[in-house]
Amino acid sequence: MIEEAIRDYIVRNSRAALDSASLTPDTDVIAEGLVDSLMLLQMTDFIEDHFGVEILPDDLTFENFGSIAKITALIEDRSGKV
Amino acid sequence: MSEVPKRCDVLIAGSGPGGSMAATFLRQKGYDVVLMERRRHPRPNVGESLIPHFWTYTDAAGVTDRLVAERFIAKAGAFADWEGERRHMAFRNYGFSRPALHVERDVFDHILFNHAVGNGAQAFEDCTVQDVEPGETVVTRYVHAEAGAGTIASRFMIDATGQQALLGRHLDVRQADDDFRFVAIWGYFEGSSYMAADGTMQPPENARTIAPTTFVTGLPYSGAGWCWHIQLRESTSVGLIVPTERIRQARSQPGGLEAFFLQQCAELPQLSILLQRARFIPGSLNVINNYSYTSARMTAPGCFMIGDASGFIDPIFSIGVTLAMYGAFTAAWAIDRSLRNAERAESSRAIFEQQIQTRMAVSRALCRPAFRAPAYTEGRLKAAMRLYSTAEHGLIRDVTGLSGRSINFERMSDPAAA
Ligand SMILES: Cc1cc2nc3c(=O)[nH]c(=O)nc-3n(C[C@H](O)[C@H](O)[C@H](O)COP(=O)(O)OP(=O)(O)OC[C@H]3O[C@@H](n4cnc5c(N)ncnc54)[C@H](O)[C@@H]3O)c2cc1C
């Protein structure tokens, strides 16, 4: 499942202190410092390799990366599943 | 000396923090990297106050332990005496577990350079890059002190030549920034006192036990001119950022710039107290003229500009080194993505361009004492600020407030995120 994979990726790779129990699909991962500017690029690699979709230059926004739910929606949109 | 190769995956011009870190990041991904440096390490460099964000990059590069072992001076935060108001901030209040640093840049840059070499970058010192031909294959001409002139072909090239801005000049995309027409003059003192984070003045021998702050103060005759005081291990770096017109007058006065500099040090209210028992180190004065610029483009086919080679504004927030490292990381990311999938070369370059331009635009807006951006720019700045954490918003608000510049932050910051 996409959402699980993204959640897992953030838990494993985030540099900020993370209380993994309280990380929900709607947690603001940017405000919390879990996704910073480096993570945005590293996660782009992960998403492209793992889901076989392409992230475009205009995609790196809060609207697409602000929560696990938003990232999931972006990937679903790119894989034409919606 | 080994011979300069004829080809490589990535050629990097310049080995300041940007070039050396880019070399390490690309070596970690297994690429064949050649690093060319016009001078020879250790060599002096300006920019001695580092914000704690830089650790993120040195962690990623695996060089943190070497830097910690050097035992540079840990800095607690910043202390400002600005238009009669005294304010200070401490990084630990924003969730940082590691200190900011005051570093001797000859030593700091040398450690990063050695780390790149240790990771297998082929480095050539006394080797000046003369000219770059962007393209499918990038062709770079250089002159090496021993081997003489030559060319090297690479799939990608990174311009990390600092203020030389090799590629920016060559492509004519470098734009002087008329809003920041300043000259920097700085020199070194022995025996200076410093300001601690609690607002007390401390003698130099306490620097190891009571962490210094970077002290800044505004110049009374210029809204945007200012002065820094950075406590180092054996000396203190003191610098003035002075409007170009004021420097013109100073140059024509008896004693020239040095007399002007020392007079300022003796007259600026808090600075003069810190320097009361200090001795100026003769011959340590440096000048950089009118150094503020941006670049209309920060890439060309196969080429990426990082750090000061891509642009430089006002050093008030001590972010130059960290920005160079961010550029290094982003360029290495874009090159790796392009080499793994040639169809994504164009979009990788576009992402790099967008990320670095945006970061530069945000820094520039925050630096300006008063600023009205066109609506389009303001929208982009707001979108960019939305990508910073809540802790970072608090830090930026307070740091810009030290020098009375938080008005721009308030405009750019989305209340929902702050
Ligand atoms: C007055 C002043 C104060 C500053 N204060 C701070 C501060 O407190 N904190 C902070 O973080 N930043 C500060 N900065 C900014 C900081 O110095 C720079 O942002 C930082 O050094 C940029 O790193 P870089 O790797 O891009 O370039 P640099 O560190 O300038 O390195 C460029 C390297 O390229 C080499 N080179 C140049 N041309 C060629 C060529 N043609 N071929 C081969 N090699 C070449 C140079 O010899 C040099 O080693 C300050 C800057 C100024 C001007």
Side-chain angles (χ1 to χ4, degrees), chain B residues 35-107:
Chain B
L35 181 58
M36 292 184 171
E37 167 57 49
R38 179 172 71 158
R39 303 179 67 177
R40 183 161 274 285
H41 287 283
R43 50 103 184 86
N45 204 356
V46 69
E48 294 140 328
S49 158
L50 306 187
I51 54 173
H53 306 64
F54 82 88
W55 293 113
T56 306
Y57 302 96
T58 59
D59 287 350
V63 68
T64 295
D65 290 349
R66 304 266 290 271
L67 293 170
V68 169
E70 182 61 31
R71 301 188 70 240
F72 289 112
I73 297 278
K75 90 165 182 178
F79 189 95
D81 186 346
W82 213 276
E83 290 169 355
E85 296 251 20
R86 294 178 143 221
R87 307 183 188 94
H88 52 94
M89 59 79 53
F91 284 110
R92 71 176 138 70
N93 296 336
Y94 302 87
F96 290 97
S97 55
R98 289 180 286 181
L101 296 182
H102 283 171
V103 301
E104 292 81 8
R105 283 290 300 278
D106 53 345
V107 177

Side-chain angles (χ1 to χ4, degrees), chain A residues 15 28 30-33 35-38 40-42 44-45 48-49 53-58 60-62, chain B residues 29 56-57 60 326 329-330 333 336-337 340 343-344 347 350-351 354-355 359 386-391:
Chain A
R15 278 170 287 271
D28 186 334
I30 286 173
E32 299 287 328
V35 173
D36 59 13
S37 50
L38 272 73
L40 215 52
L41 298 177
Q42 291 166 328
T44 294
D45 285 345
E48 293 189 334
D49 294 348
V53 298
E54 180 172 359
I55 300 295
L56 304 173
D58 290 336
L60 300 181
T61 60
F62 175 79
Chain B
K29 296 175 197 285
T56 306
Y57 302 96
Y326 173 65
F329 184 89
T330 307
W333 173 85
D336 175 54
R337 186 167 178 263
R340 286 189 296 122
E343 279 170 23
R344 292 192 183 153
S347 85
I351 290 174
Q354 207 175 55
Q355 297 299 308
R359 188 63 68 99
R386 209 58 194 85
L387 289 168
Y388 289 103
S389 70
T390 308

Side-chain angles (χ1 to χ4, degrees), chain B residues 37-218:
Chain B
E37 167 57 49
R38 179 172 71 158
R39 303 179 67 177
R40 183 161 274 285
H41 287 283
R43 50 103 184 86
N45 204 356
V46 69
E48 294 140 328
S49 158
L50 306 187
I51 54 173
H53 306 64
F54 82 88
W55 293 113
T56 306
Y57 302 96
T58 59
D59 287 350
V63 68
T64 295
D65 290 349
R66 304 266 290 271
L67 293 170
V68 169
E70 182 61 31
R71 301 188 70 240
F72 289 112
I73 297 278
K75 90 165 182 178
F79 189 95
D81 186 346
W82 213 276
E83 290 169 355
E85 296 251 20
R86 294 178 143 221
R87 307 183 188 94
H88 52 94
M89 59 79 53
F91 284 110
R92 71 176 138 70
N93 296 336
Y94 302 87
F96 290 97
S97 55
R98 289 180 286 181
L101 296 182
H102 283 171
V103 301
E104 292 81 8
R105 283 290 300 278
D106 53 345
V107 177
F108 182 81
D109 289 15
H110 197 186
I111 292 173
L112 300 183
F113 175 77
N114 283 338
H115 188 65
V117 173
N119 275 280
Q122 298 181 71
F124 298 91
E125 294 172 274
D126 294 324
C127 186
T128 304
V129 172
Q130 305 250 290
D131 179 8
V132 180
E133 230 20 270
E136 187 83 15
T137 298
V138 183
V139 178
T140 301
R141 288 197 306 118
Y142 61 85
V143 175
H144 187 277
E146 286 168 41
T151 62
I152 179 166
S154 60
R155 188 62 198 82
F156 288 97
M157 184 271 174
I158 295 177
D159 177 6
T161 55
Q163 304 240 347
Q164 291 299 311
L166 177 82
L167 205 54
R169 287 180 210 260
H170 175 73
L171 300 173
D172 200 21
V173 294
R174 192 174 174 275
Q175 303 165 325
D177 197 329
D178 286 334
D179 290 318
F180 296 96
R181 301 191 64 249
F182 294 107
V183 172
I185 328 177
W186 70 99
Y188 295 84
F189 288 82
E190 276 168 353
S192 172
S193 300
Y194 67 90
M195 298 303 293
D198 62 1
T200 58
M201 192 166 93
Q202 298 290 336
E205 58 273 20
N206 287 2
R208 283 278 175 215
T209 43
I210 304 172
T213 59
T214 301
F215 170 72
V216 293
T217 183

Side-chain angles (χ1 to χ4, degrees), chain B residues 181-186 219 221-222 225-226 239-262 264 285-291:
Chain B
R181 301 191 64 249
F182 294 107
V183 172
I185 328 177
W186 70 99
L219 301 183
Y221 48 80
S222 150
W226 56 281
L240 303 172
I241 304 293
V242 190
T244 309
E245 304 78 58
R246 184 69 187 78
I247 281 290
R248 217 168 284 137
Q249 293 169 26
R251 279 190 205 275
S252 60
Q253 280 162 14
L257 283 188
E258 183 164 318
F260 170 76
F261 175 75
L262 292 175
Q264 298 289 302
L285 198 76
N286 299 270
V287 183
I288 299 187
N289 287 311
N290 207 12
Y291 50 71

Side-chain angles (χ1 to χ4, degrees), chain B residues 343-360:
Chain B
E343 279 170 23
R344 292 192 183 153
E346 267 316 300
S347 85
S348 300
R349 185 146 81 88
I351 290 174
F352 173 90
E353 178 90 40
Q354 207 175 55
Q355 297 299 308
I356 306 297
Q357 288 282 8
T358 305
R359 188 63 68 99
M360 188 64 75

